Amino acid sequence: MKLTKGGHAPVPTSLLTVVLSWQSDHEVDAHALLLAEDGQVRSDRDFVFFNAPRHLSQAVTLDQEPAPGTARLSVSLPRTESEVDRIVLTGSVDGASFGDIPGLILTVFDHNRPATWFEINDAESVRAMMFGEFYRREGAWRFRAVGQGWSVGLAGLVAEFGVRVDDPATPGPVTPGPANGDRATRAGSAQRSAATQPGGSTGTTDARRADAAQPFGAAAASATSPAPAAQSAGSAQRPGTGSATAVRQPTPLPTVPRRGFSLERETPLVPPVRPPNPERADWHPHPDTPAHLRWWNGSEWTDATRPRPPADAKHCARCGRPRRRRFFGAPAPCRECATEIEQYLSGWRGRAERALRTVGPHGDDWDALWTALRYQRIDRAQALTLLRPQAHDHVERLVAFAFADGRVDQAEMDDFDDTVATLALHGPLIEDLRRRMQRVRTLTRLRDGELPTLSANGLHLDPAEQLHLNVPAIHIRQLARGPKHTEGRLLCSNKKLRFTGADTGTEMLWSRVVSVTAEVGTVVVAATSARGGAVFEVADPHHVAATLEGALRVAKRLALTPGRLDTRTIPQEVKAQVWQRDGGKCVECGDSHYLEFDHIIPLSRGGATSAQNLQILCRACNRVKGARI
């Protein structure tokens, strides 16, 4: 609906968008004032403008980044407090007047649909203007097009509605410019005259209205000044007593003028310069003096500074001193720094060893060690080289703990990779440990039911049957005249276990299979009947047994849920106790490499998973012991 000056229309009680648009390069600021029934703001917080873009009630919000040539306000009428009777929409311009700005249009949108609009074609040469207002009428909201201006600018406009501005040159109630006839000014004048007439109302509302209509600072002075003489005399005569009682005049209190706020735009604070990777404590170029380095502690700049060393081979990269020259080759290292680094690392090494034995290369204690090295400007590679023997021992301990229960979860695999990368370890020993970890991780995934799906070319499978294993095997059968070996292929699917040979074959449904066990060179499959089992000789018994166990778990719905371990699980505190007792070495030969936790009495023979029944053996001694006691 198009409105003219003075026109009004109903608006929906919802979230509305008020857009002021114009056709020039000028910058127009939009504002809003939330007024009570007396036509004044309740406090300065009811003024929404560029320095306070959001009202406390969320009823009015100013868009601080509108499109060019527009200003936007969001008005939520449902959130407007009940004490607010009107929402006045105003605007201001600096360095020009609204008479110089063509195409002024105020549009009220309801869900991106224009509800009403007002074209301002007769704007005077004023720097502030009241475009329109939302007001309550019989429980509903309406919008009125106003289009009145203030020649004294924004300070005079907001002061008319009771906002105190920190500008002593700005008058209090200002009469609008020509052709304005502001209704708020006439109402304010009438309220002031009623408050000062003899016998007029002296209630809180009238006093507040009179105070709001006074110039800045006058209200505070009047509130603390003595009562007028006429009122004092009237109060001295009590009705019905017939005598006058002297009333002592109160001592005037010192006048403390209420401080207003400035309409000057607040300069946004420039955030302090933060280095790259601000969570890491390190030396960085000084933000103010690039020729120096300044210490960043991970959250803020400290007072610690040092000269920035030259970036060339002729000077020490740590202290900046010139290096001694050699007749041949690169310059000699800095003697002073080498001595300081050696002395510092002698104490640092002990703290690093204790951290590795307790928390490992993770956590705040470990990070603090390397933060101290960075503060001393000591190369990380030099410290890692010094710590390499202890780092190898820690990785051996980590792998032995992972192998203790015969499983390697993904978290343990990730921990191994992170530890090796953090400690910068490499070489044949580390690569062999990684291959062992990866193999056990593969077997763990197979036992948990993560089985591969193979191609079944040339095989006759049942419908919906998937092939998981197809390997050469020798079926060993115990006959009266001795064992018989039949060569063929072992097939494992989600339905059954098959063996196909040259002159024989057998099938076993998973419902008949009880368990699968890997022994030396063979896989033993136990079934519900004594003659239903089978023994197969394969090249990799552990891999085949893990695949068969995984297929059995899936077929019988026994697949382990994430985080659940089988009966071979060894608690972490038991691992640490056994490792501490045996000194982190094989109890048989004393070797400290390829260590494993061994059950002295095997689980298959009723052995318990306890510290008394566990020992540390190297891989070779563990294979020799086998399942013997």
Side-chain angles (χ1 to χ4, degrees):
M1 176 185 297
K2 182 178 180 181
L3 298 178
T4 58
K5 182 180 294 186
H8 52 83
V11 291
T13 305
S14 60
L15 178 61
L16 305 176
T17 302
V18 180
V19 178
L20 177 67
S21 59
W22 60 92
Q23 298 177 359
S24 67
D25 295 333
H26 295 86
E27 293 186 3
V28 180
D29 293 317
H31 332 101
L33 297 106
L34 286 74
L35 309 181
E37 292 182 1
D38 58 359
Q40 301 287 297
V41 295
R42 297 166 298 174
S43 68
D44 295 340
R45 293 183 177 180
D46 285 342
F47 180 33
V48 178
F49 68 119
F50 40 77
N51 287 341
R54 185 185 298 273
H55 192 260
L56 293 177
S57 65
Q58 312 293 323
V60 180
T61 303
L62 173 64
D63 187 356
Q64 295 181 296
E65 295 183 359
T70 63
R72 296 170 59 92
L73 285 163
S74 297
V75 180
S76 179
L77 297 179
R79 292 184 177 179
T80 305
E81 299 163 296
S82 59
E83 296 85 358
V84 176
D85 187 62
R86 298 159 54 199
I87 300 177
V88 175
L89 307 176
T90 61
S92 62
V93 60
D94 293 332
S97 67
F98 280 102
D100 303 327
I101 301 177
L104 274 172
I105 301 177
L106 185 74
T107 308
V108 179
F109 288 91
D110 176 27
H111 295 91
N112 298 323
R113 179 180 59 87
T116 183
W117 62 93
F118 171 40
E119 297 182 4
I120 308 171
N121 298 321
D122 55 349
E124 300 289 339
S125 298
V126 293
R127 293 185 290 114
M129 178 173 288
M130 174 179 171
F131 301 114
E133 63 179 0
F134 295 98
Y135 64 95
R136 297 182 188 266
R137 178 65 57 84
E138 298 179 355
W141 284 94
R142 299 177 68 86
F143 177 79
R144 179 185 292 113
V146 180
Q148 298 173 355
W150 271 256
S151 59
V152 291
L154 178 60
L157 185 153
V158 299
E160 190 69 29
F161 297 105
V163 179
R164 298 182 180 274
V165 183
D166 194 11
D167 184 2
T170 304
V174 179
T175 304
N180 289 337
D182 182 26
R183 177 174 60 85
T185 304
R186 295 195 300 272
S189 301
Q191 294 162 4
R192 289 193 299 274
S193 62
T196 56
Q197 289 178 359
S201 173
T202 59
T204 304
T205 304
D206 293 337
R208 178 184 174 189
R209 291 176 178 174
D211 174 73
Q214 294 178 5
F216 315 131
S222 64
T224 59
S225 61
Q231 293 181 357
S232 300
S235 61
Q237 182 72 27
R238 293 187 179 182
T241 60
S243 62
T245 303
V247 178
R248 183 180 179 183
Q249 291 286 354
T251 304
L253 297 176
T255 301
V256 181
R258 176 184 168 192
R259 180 177 176 82
F261 61 91
S262 175
L263 294 180
E264 297 293 332
R265 290 184 180 272
E266 296 178 356
T267 303
L269 297 176
V270 178
V273 178
R274 295 170 63 88
N277 300 326
E279 67 280 355
R280 172 188 170 96
D282 204 347
W283 293 100
H284 296 279
H286 200 294
D288 303 324
T289 310
H292 286 73
L293 297 176
R294 189 173 181 182
W295 178 253
W296 172 267
N297 65 1
S299 59
E300 61 182 358
W301 294 105
T302 64
D303 296 333
T305 59
R306 62 190 307 165
R308 191 173 185 175
D312 56 55
K314 297 181 180 179
H315 296 80
C316 177
R318 181 173 180 267
C319 64
R321 299 188 186 97
R323 293 182 174 182
R324 294 182 298 107
R325 294 186 178 182
R326 291 175 174 175
F327 290 103
F328 303 99
C334 178
R335 291 182 177 179
E336 293 81 0
C337 288
T339 303
E340 293 177 4
I341 292 174
E342 183 179 359
Q343 293 176 352
Y344 184 82
L345 288 180
S346 61
W348 179 89
R349 179 179 180 178
R351 299 196 301 272
E353 290 178 3
R354 288 193 296 272
L356 279 178
R357 289 195 302 266
T358 55
V359 299
H362 311 287
D364 296 337
D365 294 342
W366 180 258
D367 294 338
L369 290 170
W370 300 98
T371 300
L373 283 187
R374 290 193 296 272
Y375 188 84
Q376 297 294 332
R377 292 186 61 81
I378 298 177
D379 186 34
R380 180 184 180 91
Q382 186 175 357
L384 288 174
T385 301
L386 182 68
L387 202 61
R388 185 159 296 166
Q390 291 76 20
H392 276 284
D393 292 343
H394 176 75
V395 174
E396 289 278 3
R397 178 176 180 267
L398 184 68
V399 173
F401 275 40
F403 287 172
D405 52 9
R407 294 173 54 89
V408 172
D409 297 329
Q410 187 60 44
E412 294 174 323
M413 193 69 204
D414 294 340
D415 189 19
F416 174 83
D417 292 334
D418 293 343
T419 300
V420 170
T422 301
L423 299 177
L425 297 176
H426 52 82
L429 176 62
I430 298 300
E431 294 303 319
D432 187 64
L433 291 175
R434 177 177 280 108
R435 285 192 295 269
R436 294 178 60 202
M437 289 283 291
Q438 291 173 347
R439 172 174 171 79
V440 179
R441 174 59 187 153
T442 301
L443 298 180
T444 301
R445 295 177 60 184
L446 291 174
R447 292 192 187 99
D448 288 347
E450 299 181 29
L451 303 172
T453 301
L454 306 180
S455 175
N457 295 333
L459 300 176
H460 299 285
L461 301 180
D462 296 338
E465 189 175 5
Q466 295 179 352
L467 186 65
H468 301 310
L469 180 71
N470 184 357
V471 295
I474 298 177
H475 187 195
I476 303 176
R477 291 182 294 172
Q478 297 294 335
L479 302 179
R481 57 180 180 273
K484 181 179 180 181
H485 296 72
T486 304
E487 296 184 359
R489 301 195 69 84
L490 183 63
L491 306 176
C492 168
S493 71
N494 60 328
K495 299 291 184 181
K496 62 186 72 174
L497 178 65
R498 292 185 179 90
F499 176 80
T500 60
D503 55 353
T504 185
T506 184
E507 292 184 353
M508 298 176 62
L509 296 175
W510 291 120
S511 58
R512 294 171 48 200
V513 177
V514 176
S515 64
V516 179
T517 307
E519 296 184 357
V520 180
T522 61
V523 175
V524 179
V525 180
T528 54
S529 60
R531 304 184 61 182
V535 178
F536 301 99
E537 182 180 340
V538 293
D540 191 346
H542 293 283
H543 185 274
V544 173
T547 304
L548 300 184
E549 184 178 351
L552 178 62
R553 289 180 183 275
V554 172
K556 293 189 174 184
R557 301 182 184 274
L558 298 176
L560 295 177
T561 58
R564 178 183 170 192
L565 301 178
D566 57 17
T567 55
R568 293 178 54 89
T569 301
I570 302 177
Q572 193 73 12
E573 59 272 12
V574 175
K575 298 177 188 177
Q577 181 180 352
V578 175
W579 186 275
Q580 184 71 20
R581 183 197 65 196
D582 296 344
K585 297 180 181 180
C586 177
V587 297
E588 294 292 339
C589 65
D591 196 357
S592 60
H593 299 295
Y594 302 108
L595 301 179
E596 299 174 347
F597 283 89
D598 172 66
H599 287 77
I600 299 174
I601 300 177
L603 288 175
S604 59
R605 299 193 179 187
T609 303
S610 62
Q612 294 75 15
N613 193 45
L614 289 172
Q615 62 182 354
I616 296 179
L617 296 178
C618 66
R619 182 170 55 180
C621 293
N622 197 12
R623 297 300 178 269
V624 172
K625 176 179 177 294
R628 294 181 290 105
I629 299 178

